[in-house]
Amino acid sequence: MQLYNTLSAEERAIIIDDAGKQRLTLSFYAYAKIQDPKKFRDDLFLAWNKLDALGRIYVANEGINAQMSIPEENLEAFRATLEVYDFMKGIRLNEAVEHDDHSFLKLTIKVRHKIVADGLNDETFDVTDIGVHLKAKEFNEILDDPNTIVVDFRNHYESEVGHFKGAITPDVETFRESLPIINDQLQNHKEDKNLVMYCTGGIRCEKASAYFKHQGFKNVFQLEGGIINYAKQIEAEGLESKFIGKNFVFDNRLGERITEDIISQCHQCGKPCDNHTNCENDGCHLLFIQCDDCKAAMENCCSTECLDIIHMPLVDQVRLRIGKQVGNKVFRKGKSENLKFKHSGELPNNSLATAEKQADIRQKIKVKKVLLGKAEHYYVKAQVGLFTIENHDLNTGDKILISGPTTGNQELVLEKMIVNEVEALTAKIGDKVTFEVPFRIRLSDKLYKIVN
Ligand SMILES: [Zn+2]
Ligand SMILES: [Zn+2]
């Protein structure tokens, strides 16, 4: 019986692309009394693995918190696996605003002490006495009330790229830090103000609203389903968005656009930009905002120090990392003195620039590609790449894609190639192929053929 993930992220990405099926990114949570979280976890893994469901899920005695990617055609079957449990009957699944087939590449279900690290002792207050849920329209109305204080219960790197206008955005790295800070700050407004709160999908506010009621706040409200659901409702009902910018999300997309406003800057050059990335140096992996120009110049690194490191042989890189604490990769909290344009705490409420219309994100899904092989070398001066063919064959005239973490996704049409040192029209498995590549590529970049 397989109870754990066995494929690597890369292997999974290829399988997903080859299957060519549309996938949905969604999230949900439920607070409930789970007697045996380990058994609950195993049962879910078996049911979901069969449905090709992927994602990051936490289960605990207090409930479940899930972020997932599901093949669209399996959505009803997936729903049926939830309906088995009384506490998940009719549960709202928050569908993402923008879908990406690669949002999750593994099925990871972990048993935790809690489903959200809130640092609270639930025995000391009534966790079921929560704040009033507001829908988008009601939320907009209460924001117009001068007696309202609105608080963002997310972290600094989330509110930096998007937040509700006028919100208090605590300069914190974790949810648990924000609770006492806000409690202190609003000490004198427990009775006269509306305390209105929001987070990404609503889960943090379920607990925070109960905590603040227990602290004596009289008028506590929370955004139902968080920013994700708010965005859906304003679109469906044609309401004004009082949220500006991007909604940061904890998957490979790192953010979904809610309005065209860019409210943050590239941390390196200051240009308006709201694209998060992780430093290319695996020993650093800092989460920060980087524009395309800086990405190219710095090869996706956060600093010249990291740039030097990624050009060292791998053995030396690993040696440098020994004894150093590398945080939880994707979520390594982005602060470093190298980042000159990083802002946190008080954030602007105005747009710095307008985002260019992105190509339809679903386009990516329609393109089918076949993995052919990998890059072995790049001759910088001649602008020629050397590749080994490992699958299928390559023909002149083929539309190809070269893809890698630093190179990105670059397409071109193959006009001429040298196969095993002779010019030829076809290359087969095992052949060494060179051809002109007008941009820099990296060792182990993948070579695909695009088939339409
Ligand atoms: Zn820049
Ligand atoms: Zn770095």
Side-chain angles (χ1 to χ4, degrees), residues 31 62 113-125 127 174-180 204 207-208 211 215:
Y31 279 103
E62 66 174 7
H113 177 53
K114 288 196 151 192
I115 55 174
V116 174
D118 51 29
L120 297 172
N121 180 353
D122 294 356
E123 305 302 310
T124 59
F125 67 106
V127 294
T174 59
F175 172 54
R176 61 192 298 170
E177 289 170 69
S178 62
L179 296 169
R204 288 177 259 191
K207 201 56 91 56
Y211 169 80
Q215 293 295 325

Side-chain angles (χ1 to χ4, degrees), residues 162-279:
H163 56 82
F164 277 95
K165 286 179 212 166
I168 296 175
T169 50
D171 184 9
V172 296
E173 290 190 358
T174 59
F175 172 54
R176 61 192 298 170
E177 289 170 69
S178 62
L179 296 169
I181 292 176
I182 293 299
N183 196 22
D184 276 0
Q185 202 173 333
L186 304 181
Q187 241 349 281
N188 300 322
H189 297 293
K190 288 189 173 179
E191 301 197 359
D192 64 331
K193 297 281 189 192
N194 302 321
L195 174 56
V196 176
M197 52 186 72
Y198 69 91
C199 61
T200 311
I203 187 171
R204 288 177 259 191
C205 292
E206 293 288 336
K207 201 56 91 56
S209 66
Y211 169 80
F212 284 102
K213 282 183 90 167
H214 175 73
Q215 293 295 325
F217 287 83
K218 293 281 176 270
N219 312 301
V220 181
F221 300 88
Q222 55 174 326
L223 178 57
E224 190 180 33
I227 300 159
I228 297 174
N229 233 9
Y230 177 86
K232 296 236 141 189
Q233 288 174 33
I234 54 161
E235 206 192 313
E237 298 169 32
L239 303 170
E240 174 205 357
S241 177
K242 289 182 184 285
F243 183 96
I244 48 170
K246 239 184 192 181
N247 180 29
F248 184 95
V249 290
F250 293 90
D251 61 53
N252 295 335
R253 297 169 300 153
L254 291 182
E256 51 185 21
R257 183 156 293 294
I258 307 295
T259 69
E260 301 305 307
D261 307 294
I262 297 176
I263 63 165
S264 53
Q265 294 170 283
C266 168
H267 287 167
Q268 290 173 325
C269 73
K271 192 161 100 179
C273 176
D274 56 10
N275 291 327
H276 273 103
T277 188
N278 286 104
C279 177

